[in-house]
Amino acid sequence: MPLFGLADCNNFFVSCERVFRPDLNGKPVLVLSSNDGCVISRSNETKALGIKMGVPLFQIRKEVEKYGIALFSSNYVLYGDMSRRVMSLLSCYTPKLDQYSIDEAFIDFSDMGDSKSLQKYGQEIVKSVAKGTGIPISLGIASTRTLAKVASKFAKKYKGYHGCCIIDTDEKRQKALELFEVGDVFGIGRKMKEHLSKYGIRTAADFARLDGEWVRSAFSITGYRTWRELHGEACISLDELPAKKSICVSRSFAGEGITDKHKLEEAIANFASDCARKLREQNTICRQMTVFAYTSRFRTDVPQDFINHNIRLDIGTNETSEIIKTAIEGLRENYRNGNFAYKKAGVILWDIIPANAVQGNLFDPRNRSKLSALQQTIDEINRRNGRGTVRNAVQGDNQLNIKREHLSPQYTTNWDEILVVKG
DNA sequence: TCTGGGGTCCTAGGACCC
DNA sequence: TCTGGGGTCCTAGGACCC
C-alpha cells in the first residue's frame, strides 16, 4: 500500500536561529522578510501573543517593544545550509525523498511494516533530526499527501504523538477531518475558504461530504483533486524531483527605491547572474526571459511605472554573460526617463529545457563550446572562493540597497563567523 | 517612514489555421 | 455582399503553496 510521510520543520527559520542562540528557547522570536519588512517565521511564544504571519514590522513595533521579542533579518545562507543537513538525515530513512520546500519533504513509507512499528520508526526519525541538527520536526503519515499534511499538523499540535502522527484507518481519517478547519487543508486557500463558508462548510469533514461533481464544477480540477485526496485517493504522486519550469530572482529595495538608471541595471545584472547559476545547477537552459521593475504600489502620490518585458532567445542558453546582456538590453529598451523610484525588480527565466537538448543555429556566429568552457572555469572559481568572486563588470560591487538590521552571523558557512565556544 | 521571495498549476480568451 | 465552426497554441492572470 502506498504511504506518504510529510516531514515539516517546526517554525523553521526561528528554529535555525535558536540552534545558535539557545538562550532564546522559550522566548518570543521573529524572523523578518527582506528589508526587515514582514514577519515570515514566528516562535510558538510569538504566535501566542497574537502576532500574525506576514504582518509588516512597523505595525507591531509596540508589541515587539513590550514583550521584548527577539528579531532576526532573514539569513537564507544559514537556512539553506540547515535545510540541507535536515534533508540529508531524512534521506537515510527512505529510498525516496521528495523535498517540497526549504523546510518540508515527502518521504515514501510504502510497504514499511505495520502501524505500530511505523509509529516507532517515525519517532526515531524525529529524534534523529533533532539530535543531529537541533531542528524540531513533525512527521505525518497517511495514504495521500493531503492527509499526510493533516497528520503532520496533529503531530505538531499534540505532544502525545512525540512528533509522529499516523492516519491509517477510515475511523482515524474521519475523526481527524472533523477536527480540522477547512481553510487549513493543503490546497484550500483564502478564496476557496470564503466561497465554502457561504455554504456553511467549516471543517475538512464538511468539505469531504460534499458531492464530488459539484466540487469539480465549483473549484475546477485542482479543488476536486484535494477532495479526492481527503477521501484517501492519492492524486498527487511521489515523482522524481522535476527540474524547475521557471526561475525567478527578485528583490524589493529599501527606502525610496532605485532612481538611478545605472543602479537599476546593476541590480538587474545581479539578478540575471543568480538566475543563470540556478539554471546551470539543474543542468538546464532557458529560451525565454522576463525582466521587470516597478514602483511602489502603496504610493499613490508619486509617478508609477511598470516595466514587464518578455524576451525570446534565438538559442537556448544558460551562460551568465549572455543572460545578463539580454536582460540589460531588455531593460534599456523599456526604460523611460521620468524620475521613477523603482521599489522592486527582478528577472524570470522560463521555457526551460534540459541543457543537452539545445538546438544549434547554423547562423550563430559564436563558438558555443568555447563559451561553455569559460563558464565552467568561472563557476569553479566562484564555487571555491565564494559567489561573485568573478563577475561581469556591469554587476558592480553587488551592494544592493537592501535593509538587514537584525542579521545573525553566518555560523555554518563562513569561517570568519563560525561559532566560538567559550570555555 | 516602513508592506518578502520563489515557485506550480489551471483557465479563459485571443490569434491563427483550415 | 455574404461573414461558420472546430481545433490548437499561446498568454495573462488568478489561486494556491511555503
Side-chain angles (χ1 to χ4, degrees), chain A residues 1-7 107-126 138-177 179:
Chain A
M1 184 178 105
L3 216 44
F4 299 85
L6 175 67
I107 299 171
D108 190 0
F109 280 127
S110 306
D111 312 312
M112 282 215 187
D114 59 44
S115 172
K116 212 173 152 194
S117 62
L118 198 56
Q119 178 78 43
K120 235 178 128 186
Y121 190 60
Q123 287 170 355
E124 189 188 320
I125 295 175
V126 172
S138 303
L139 183 56
I141 303 175
S143 59
T144 70
R145 289 189 190 232
T146 307
L147 287 171
K149 182 92 182 169
V150 170
S152 80
K153 295 212 176 165
F154 280 101
K156 187 174 296 190
K157 193 165 173 188
Y158 301 105
K159 290 266 174 279
Y161 289 112
H162 299 288
C164 176
C165 169
I166 305 181
I167 298 176
D168 58 349
T169 64
D170 256 0
E171 295 75 52
K172 283 192 201 167
R173 182 176 65 84
Q174 196 54 40
K175 208 172 152 190
L177 297 190
L179 292 169

Side-chain angles (χ1 to χ4, degrees), chain A residues 58-349:
Chain A
F58 74 87
Q59 287 177 4
I60 53 163
R61 278 284 181 204
K62 262 190 204 151
E63 288 88 336
V64 169
E65 187 85 359
K66 183 171 169 196
Y67 301 107
I69 301 175
L71 300 180
F72 288 92
S73 302
S74 40
N75 182 347
Y76 281 98
V77 175
L78 174 65
Y79 311 149
D81 190 57
M82 295 301 286
S83 170
R84 274 187 293 280
R85 291 169 195 224
V86 170
M87 296 304 160
S88 109
L89 271 175
L90 287 176
S91 64
C92 301
Y93 291 89
T94 173
K96 216 166 160 191
L97 184 85
D98 177 8
Q99 187 174 346
Y100 179 75
S101 69
I102 194 165
D103 73 329
E104 272 177 301
F106 287 99
I107 299 171
D108 190 0
F109 280 127
S110 306
D111 312 312
M112 282 215 187
D114 59 44
S115 172
K116 212 173 152 194
S117 62
L118 198 56
Q119 178 78 43
K120 235 178 128 186
Y121 190 60
Q123 287 170 355
E124 189 188 320
I125 295 175
V126 172
K127 255 189 235 161
S128 147
V129 172
K131 192 172 168 224
T133 65
I135 302 290
I137 68 167
S138 303
L139 183 56
I141 303 175
S143 59
T144 70
R145 289 189 190 232
T146 307
L147 287 171
K149 182 92 182 169
V150 170
S152 80
K153 295 212 176 165
F154 280 101
K156 187 174 296 190
K157 193 165 173 188
Y158 301 105
K159 290 266 174 279
Y161 289 112
H162 299 288
C164 176
C165 169
I166 305 181
I167 298 176
D168 58 349
T169 64
D170 256 0
E171 295 75 52
K172 283 192 201 167
R173 182 176 65 84
Q174 196 54 40
K175 208 172 152 190
L177 297 190
E178 295 288 356
L179 292 169
F180 209 74
E181 264 188 56
V182 72
D184 293 338
V185 172
F186 185 70
I188 298 181
R190 198 169 39 88
K191 290 277 174 183
M192 251 180 101
K193 185 188 168 181
E194 261 171 45
H195 189 156
L196 286 166
S197 78
K198 287 186 200 136
Y199 297 90
I201 306 300
R202 305 259 177 268
T203 67
D206 293 339
F207 179 67
R209 272 190 289 269
L210 290 169
D211 176 63
E213 282 310 307
W214 183 84
V215 170
R216 191 188 183 123
S217 67
F219 302 109
S220 91
I221 189 79
T222 35
Y224 181 52
R225 211 174 273 156
T226 299
W227 182 88
R228 281 160 67 199
E229 284 252 324
L230 287 178
H231 281 264
E233 186 188 342
C235 307
I236 314 170
S237 68
L238 197 59
D239 285 324
E240 295 301 321
L241 206 58
K244 288 195 172 46
K245 292 173 179 172
S246 71
I247 290 172
C248 172
V249 174
S250 70
R251 293 287 179 277
S252 298
F253 308 115
E256 273 291 286
I258 291 184
T259 49
D260 179 58
K261 184 183 177 194
H262 182 73
K263 280 279 169 209
L264 186 60
E265 286 181 4
E266 206 172 288
I268 289 289
N270 282 299
F271 301 151
S273 167
D274 274 1
C275 275
R277 179 179 49 74
K278 292 183 181 186
L279 197 57
R280 289 194 298 276
E281 278 170 2
Q282 59 168 22
N283 205 19
T284 50
I285 56 170
C286 72
R287 295 182 295 193
Q288 302 206 54
M289 170 189 309
T290 299
V291 178
F292 66 87
Y294 35 86
T295 47
S296 172
R297 63 184 194 279
F298 299 105
R299 296 283 300 274
T300 47
D301 55 326
V302 292
Q304 301 282 311
D305 193 30
F306 185 89
I307 297 173
N308 194 308
H309 182 60
N310 278 344
I311 305 146
R312 198 180 287 265
L313 298 143
D314 294 338
I315 307 163
T317 186
N318 61 18
E319 271 145 20
T320 299
S321 57
E322 206 169 346
I323 286 173
I324 291 180
K325 184 165 165 275
T326 312
I328 296 291
E329 280 169 6
L331 176 66
R332 284 184 184 158
E333 266 175 50
N334 290 272
Y335 189 87
R336 302 187 290 144
N337 286 314
N339 280 329
F340 299 111
Y342 294 96
K343 274 295 284 184
K344 180 166 178 168
V347 172
I348 306 168
L349 305 182

